[in-house]
Amino acid sequence: MTKSILLLLAGLLTGAAQAAVGSYPVVLVHGFQPDNLQSKPTGTQVTDNGSEYWAQYWRDRADARIDWPSQERIANKITSQYVWPKLQQLSREGTCASGCVFVTHSTGDLVMRYIIDNQALWLQNAGLKPLNIVATFDFSGAGGGVELADLAVNVASGSGLIDATLKLAVSLWLGELPSSSNIGVLNDLRVNTARQLAAFPENRVPRLRFAGAGSDFLGVTGAFLPGEDDGVVASHSSCGAAAVGSYNSCSRNVAFDGKLTSTNGPSGFMPYHYPMLMSEGYSHGDTILNSAKDEVTSANSRANYLNGDNLQFNTYDEKRGWWIFSSRYRVVNHSNKTSMSALVYQAAN
């Protein structure tokens, strides 16, 4: 066998080994794509968009994806035409037979909660084996709703108090102002609506959370979001808080920048939601990219999967400042030069 063939086989084997976290296959569920509201993709366009969404880091580390179009609603066409066929395929192929991890971003968090609440019954009724989901990794999760979606629906319908600043915030997020004919999944993202969608799933799948507090919009959108936010999602949602609130951290004793101090963090979380990594410098989209934006801290450094395996991060505490003005900060090892997604992937492996 020639050297070139050996190298090719080695590369293929390495790629296959990387398409997992630990021994678990990875399934991706992407988030809201604003341009879909106008372009209304179907068929291969939806697949191409899903591939591009994850291109920077997770796409080549995953075994499967659930791609869906943002101009539709979760409990309607998103589920019937995109989620359900993929769930059947995953079951028939045994992708999750020995356990699998779903990785979500943004609205994918909400889509995933609906999947977790229903997939076992759906598949059993179809004569198929339910998926064995041991955990989800939720980046910038929008499962608690997005205040900007409420504003966007108001703008589209012409209801509520609408001023120039509000219109600017919505247009920065969506790329344009929405109309009543193209709000799609924004209806599901409204805060009250999102929090009522599969709010108490019977399945105990751990939802491990990774949140940022940066912004790509110079703080314009943050004026309409309570507490700390990542430019799109407020921390009550990305942290998985049980109630809406103006929280400035996912933890009550660690700030987004890692400072060990008393914070206004959530007192409780949605069922089986566990915040893990946080960073002040990561915006909504940064958390799934392959570039380090800032040091990362931990709300919790360890969490268990459904089957007892666990995800754990190594951290260290350091003193910053001088004398009585000094403070202690908690930092995840190597986070100054490793992206948040890479930190999660490396820890899981």
Side-chain angles (χ1 to χ4, degrees):
M1 188 177 291
T2 67
K3 182 178 180 181
S4 60
I5 293 176
L6 287 171
L7 289 173
L8 176 61
L9 288 173
L12 290 172
L13 289 172
T14 300
Q18 289 180 340
V21 289
S23 60
Y24 302 111
V26 173
V27 182
L28 305 176
V29 185
H30 66 71
F32 172 59
Q33 301 184 82
D35 63 296
N36 285 186
L37 299 182
Q38 286 291 343
S39 63
K40 293 181 169 51
T42 58
T44 58
Q45 294 172 315
V46 175
T47 304
D48 292 343
N49 288 346
S51 175
E52 181 62 27
Y53 194 100
W54 296 102
Q56 274 215 27
Y57 190 82
W58 284 101
R59 183 180 66 189
D60 296 333
R61 293 171 173 83
D63 299 83
R65 297 192 315 270
I66 296 179
D67 303 323
W68 55 274
S70 297
Q71 75 271 18
E72 305 295 353
R73 300 290 302 274
I74 292 175
N76 296 324
K77 287 186 179 181
I78 290 175
T79 293
S80 63
Q81 295 186 14
Y82 298 91
V83 171
W84 174 231
K86 195 65 180 184
L87 294 180
Q88 294 177 78
Q89 179 185 345
L90 292 171
S91 179
R92 290 191 177 105
E93 294 178 353
T95 303
C96 299
S98 298
C100 62
V101 170
F102 276 68
V103 175
T104 80
H105 179 251
S106 188
T107 310
D109 170 32
L110 183 59
V111 174
M112 191 64 214
R113 196 165 76 228
Y114 194 64
I115 290 173
I116 288 172
D117 198 35
N118 292 289
Q119 64 93 11
L121 180 61
W122 291 342
L123 290 168
Q124 285 172 342
N125 286 343
L128 296 170
K129 187 175 181 180
L131 305 185
N132 178 16
I133 306 169
V134 299
T136 70
F137 297 167
D138 303 308
F139 292 88
S140 305
V146 180
E147 282 76 8
L148 292 177
D150 288 270
L151 298 178
V153 172
N154 287 344
V155 169
S157 63
S159 61
L161 181 62
I162 301 172
D163 59 25
T165 306
L166 188 156
K167 286 184 176 180
L168 175 60
V170 171
S171 63
L172 284 172
W173 177 39
L174 300 180
E176 60 190 351
L177 290 177
S179 67
S180 58
S181 64
N182 66 340
I183 50 179
V185 80
L186 290 177
N187 282 302
D188 298 311
L189 282 174
R190 289 178 296 174
V191 174
N192 288 338
T193 304
R195 286 183 168 271
Q196 292 171 11
L197 184 69
F200 300 100
E202 293 184 4
N203 197 302
R204 302 172 64 89
V205 175
R207 312 297 309 277
L208 311 186
R209 321 287 291 178
F210 309 97
S215 177
D216 295 324
F217 307 119
L218 301 177
V220 174
T221 53
F224 300 95
L225 301 170
E228 288 281 3
D229 65 86
D230 62 14
V232 174
V233 175
S235 56
H236 72 79
S237 183
S238 59
C239 299
V244 178
S246 297
Y247 304 119
N248 59 12
S249 176
C250 297
S251 165
R252 296 177 72 85
N253 49 40
V254 185
F256 262 102
D257 65 356
K259 185 176 181 179
L260 300 179
T261 184
S262 177
T263 72
N264 181 31
S267 59
F269 297 90
M270 296 181 72
Y272 321 119
H273 286 54
Y274 308 101
M276 298 202 72
L277 299 188
M278 308 182 294
S279 179
E280 190 173 55
Y282 281 76
S283 68
H284 186 70
D286 289 338
T287 55
I288 60 168
L289 302 185
N290 194 24
S291 56
K293 299 295 182 179
D294 196 4
E295 288 184 330
V296 174
T297 190
S298 65
N300 295 284
S301 61
R302 184 178 184 275
N304 288 335
Y305 298 166
L306 186 63
N307 63 356
D309 284 348
N310 65 76
L311 181 68
Q312 183 167 343
F313 298 93
N314 295 320
T315 66
Y316 62 91
D317 293 352
E318 66 178 15
K319 186 171 74 171
R320 298 177 184 174
W322 177 73
W323 195 35
I324 61 172
F325 307 105
S326 66
S327 299
R328 296 196 68 79
Y329 288 77
R330 179 157 297 155
V331 183
V332 176
N333 289 6
H334 310 301
S335 63
N336 63 325
K337 57 184 178 182
T338 309
S339 71
M340 186 179 288
S341 279
L343 288 171
V344 174
Y345 180 77
Q346 291 169 10
N349 283 284

